[in-house]
């Protein structure tokens, strides 16, 4: 490299360093703003995601990139000083997330793309969607966002499996980095292909579950309760049976039918939703209580056969009960219930 070229590179790096020191704090605030906007949008649209994270490229990495020949004007050409990574569960979720980004931000189409679109048909590797985006004019009109005009951010959207592959493949401290013998590289990329196939299978499974839930909802709405007991059929039945007449709560995380509860119903001897419906008809006063979906079904089993529930069904997965529930059980003939509560050291709230 000639002396003139050396001087040019030194000046370019010095100018880039000054620019970085001056603007780093602004990009940190910008990254935080974009992260918060994206998180709020995904929650508002009920799109599931594993994580949304932000970063600002560190100085060493930024200056290293500036030193490359192709960057003649780094402050304009390097667009990933601010970075957001969104990790989704399935490719379908990635598509939904990308739709939200396109609706809510300005996308630099020239510098954005999907890695899958450029990967050759006989190749496999890590996939993700990369967007270079800016805040929309609507958001830039807000007083708190005006300072972010012309700032760009790179957003990566990928699935959990794509993320795992990318992290292993690109971690320079791990043994998979570098140039490996042909046979090992071949096996390495076969693993990448398997992960891609798994991603697609997760998409199909997710779609099948959605179709199953819709079918359960239609069956229950039509009054067909001859359905096998599982989390989805119980959920749809309980939502129809109790959703409108009374205010009734869910379990932790908004769950209507936890796995533990489904197991209890099966051990108790219920085989179909119709079996539950037949027994609930004998205890209509349960409907008058402000209870949880889960509590109603446990009340039903205990009132129908307290001894069977505690001897054959109860597995210790709940250890507190409110006084009103105990009173309700006793009113419906569960005479032995207090003995079982003592035996299993179940705490009665409000007693």
């Amino acid at each position: 490299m000639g002396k003139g070229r050396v001087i040019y590179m030194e000046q370019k790096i010095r100018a880039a360093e000054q620019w970085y020191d001056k603007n780093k704090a602004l990009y940190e605030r910008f990254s935080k703003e974009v992260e918060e906007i994206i998180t709020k949008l995904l929650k508002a649209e009920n799109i599931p995601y594993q994580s949304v994270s932000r970063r600002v490229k560190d100085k060493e990495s930024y200056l290293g990139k500036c030193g490359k020949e192709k960057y003649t004007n780094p402050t304009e050409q390097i667009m990933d000083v601010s970075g957001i990574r969104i990790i989704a569960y399935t490719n379908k979720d990635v598509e939904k997330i990308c739709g939200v980004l396109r609706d809510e931000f300005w996308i630099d189409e020239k510098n954005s793309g999907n890695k899958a679109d450029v990967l050759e048909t006989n190749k496999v590797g890590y996939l993700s969607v990369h967007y270079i985006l800016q805040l929309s004019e609507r958001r830039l009109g807000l007083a708190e966002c005006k300072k972010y005009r012309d700032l760009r951010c790179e957003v990566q959207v990928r699935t959990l499996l794509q993320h795992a592959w990318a992290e292993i493949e690109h971690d320079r401290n791990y043994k998979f980095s570098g140039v490996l013998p042909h046979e090992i590289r071949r096996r390495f990329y076969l693993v990448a292909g398997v992960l891609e196939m798994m991603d697609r299978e997760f998409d199909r499974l997710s779609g099948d579950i959605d179709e199953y839930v819709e079918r359960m909802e239609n069956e229950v709405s039509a009054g067909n309760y001859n359905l096998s007991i599982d989390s989805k059929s119980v959920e749809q039945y309980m939502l129809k049976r109790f959703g409108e007449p009374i205010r009734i709560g869910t379990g932790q995380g908004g769950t209507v039918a936890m796995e533990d509860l489904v197991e209890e119903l099966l051990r108790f001897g219920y085989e179909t939703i119709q079996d539950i419906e037949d027994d609930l008809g004998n205890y209509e006063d349960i409907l008058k209580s402000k209870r949880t979906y889960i509590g109603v079904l446990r009340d039903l089993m205990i009132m129908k056969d307290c001894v069977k529930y505690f001897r054959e069904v109860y597995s210790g997965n709940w250890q507190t009960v409110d006084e009103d529930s105990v009173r309700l059980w006793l009113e419906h003939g569960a005479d032995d219930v207090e003995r079982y509560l003592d035996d299993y050291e179940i705490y009665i709230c409000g007693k």
Side-chain angles (χ1 to χ4, degrees):
M1 183 183 293
K3 183 177 180 180
R5 190 64 180 169
V6 171
I7 294 174
Y8 164 75
M9 292 298 292
E10 289 176 348
Q11 290 175 339
K12 184 175 74 164
I13 296 298
R14 192 180 305 115
E17 183 174 13
Q18 291 173 351
W19 179 91
Y20 182 90
D21 291 340
K22 179 181 178 181
N23 289 280
K24 180 185 178 183
L26 177 63
Y27 272 88
E28 286 175 339
R29 294 193 296 272
F30 175 56
S31 299
K32 185 173 184 292
E33 182 73 24
V34 175
E35 178 193 35
E36 290 177 350
I37 291 171
I38 290 174
T39 300
K40 289 177 182 177
L41 288 170
L42 297 185
K43 289 181 178 178
E45 294 294 328
N46 291 317
I47 299 175
Y49 64 91
Q50 198 273 335
S51 65
V52 178
S53 59
R54 70 179 187 272
R55 65 105 181 100
V56 170
K57 191 179 286 293
D58 63 61
K59 182 188 284 190
E60 182 181 358
S61 176
Y62 176 70
L63 295 180
K65 199 167 185 177
C66 291
K68 294 181 179 180
E69 292 285 341
K70 66 178 182 179
Y71 295 114
T72 56
N73 186 4
T75 59
E76 289 295 322
Q77 294 171 307
I78 296 176
M79 304 179 189
D80 64 345
V81 176
S82 171
I84 302 291
R85 177 173 292 160
I86 307 170
I87 301 177
Y89 291 106
T90 68
N91 284 306
K92 292 294 184 184
D93 295 332
V94 169
E95 291 176 8
K96 293 176 184 177
I97 292 169
C98 290
V100 169
L101 296 179
R102 287 186 167 278
D103 288 342
E104 297 292 336
F105 296 90
W106 179 84
I107 305 294
D108 181 348
E109 299 289 354
K110 181 180 177 181
N111 293 295
S112 302
N114 188 337
K115 292 288 186 180
D117 294 337
V118 298
L119 202 63
E120 296 180 24
T121 56
N122 64 336
K123 302 289 186 182
V124 292
Y126 101 89
L127 306 175
S128 66
V129 179
H130 291 240
Y131 286 135
I132 300 297
L133 55 76
Q134 294 175 246
L135 297 183
S136 65
E137 285 297 326
R138 177 173 61 83
R139 292 190 185 277
L140 289 170
L142 302 174
E144 64 270 24
C145 291
K146 288 181 179 179
K147 56 183 173 289
Y148 303 131
R149 181 173 291 278
D150 298 327
L151 269 62
R152 289 162 292 188
C153 176
E154 180 193 54
V155 177
Q156 296 179 350
V157 191
R158 59 174 66 146
T159 68
L160 265 171
L161 289 180
Q162 291 166 357
H163 177 65
W165 168 258
E167 288 296 290
I168 292 174
E169 185 184 30
H170 289 80
D171 190 339
R172 296 183 183 277
N173 295 318
Y174 199 62
K175 64 184 70 176
F176 290 155
S177 63
V179 178
L180 300 170
H182 173 76
E183 178 58 24
I184 293 179
R185 276 188 291 138
R186 179 176 175 276
R187 288 164 52 199
F188 189 54
Y189 286 104
L190 281 173
V191 172
V194 170
L195 290 178
E196 186 175 336
M197 290 176 64
M198 288 175 62
D199 247 341
R200 294 183 181 185
E201 184 60 22
F202 278 133
D203 272 337
R204 286 193 287 268
L205 284 170
S206 178
D208 290 344
I209 292 171
D210 288 341
E211 289 180 8
Y212 177 71
V213 171
E214 183 177 359
R215 188 167 73 252
M216 289 298 99
E217 184 177 358
N218 292 336
E219 293 285 352
V220 170
S221 296
N224 176 19
Y225 296 155
N226 190 29
L227 305 169
S228 298
I229 300 289
D230 61 45
S231 296
K232 301 304 179 184
S233 61
V234 172
E235 176 181 279
Q236 292 304 315
Y237 167 69
M238 295 300 283
L239 288 172
K240 182 191 177 186
R241 189 71 158 80
F242 298 95
E244 293 299 327
I246 61 172
R247 296 175 60 84
I248 191 163
T250 57
Q252 293 181 347
T255 306
V256 172
M258 297 187 304
E259 184 177 344
D260 289 343
L261 176 66
V262 173
E263 291 298 323
E264 288 184 21
L265 292 168
L266 293 171
R267 287 201 301 273
F268 192 79
Y270 289 122
E271 296 181 355
T272 68
I273 297 298
Q274 186 64 56
D275 295 337
I276 298 175
E277 172 66 14
D278 291 342
D279 282 348
L280 268 178
N282 298 321
Y283 300 97
E284 288 295 331
D285 53 345
I286 294 178
L287 302 177
K288 299 175 184 177
S289 303
K290 290 186 178 181
R291 319 186 66 77
T292 65
Y293 294 103
I294 295 166
V296 165
L297 290 173
R298 283 185 175 145
D299 283 350
L300 174 64
M301 290 185 280
I302 292 171
M303 289 187 294
K304 182 179 180 182
D305 193 333
C306 172
V307 174
K308 181 177 182 178
Y309 179 82
F310 283 103
R311 285 186 177 178
E312 301 179 21
V313 177
Y314 179 71
S315 59
N317 48 18
W318 58 274
Q319 294 180 309
T320 61
V321 64
D322 62 87
E323 190 175 13
D324 290 338
S325 292
V326 177
R327 187 180 303 112
L328 183 68
W329 300 340
L330 291 169
E331 288 174 359
H332 287 83
D335 298 329
D336 296 326
V337 70
E338 291 181 313
R339 175 166 62 85
Y340 287 114
L341 295 180
D342 287 338
D343 289 346
Y344 292 115
E345 298 182 344
I346 297 173
Y347 177 70
I348 303 176
C349 303
K351 187 174 180 179

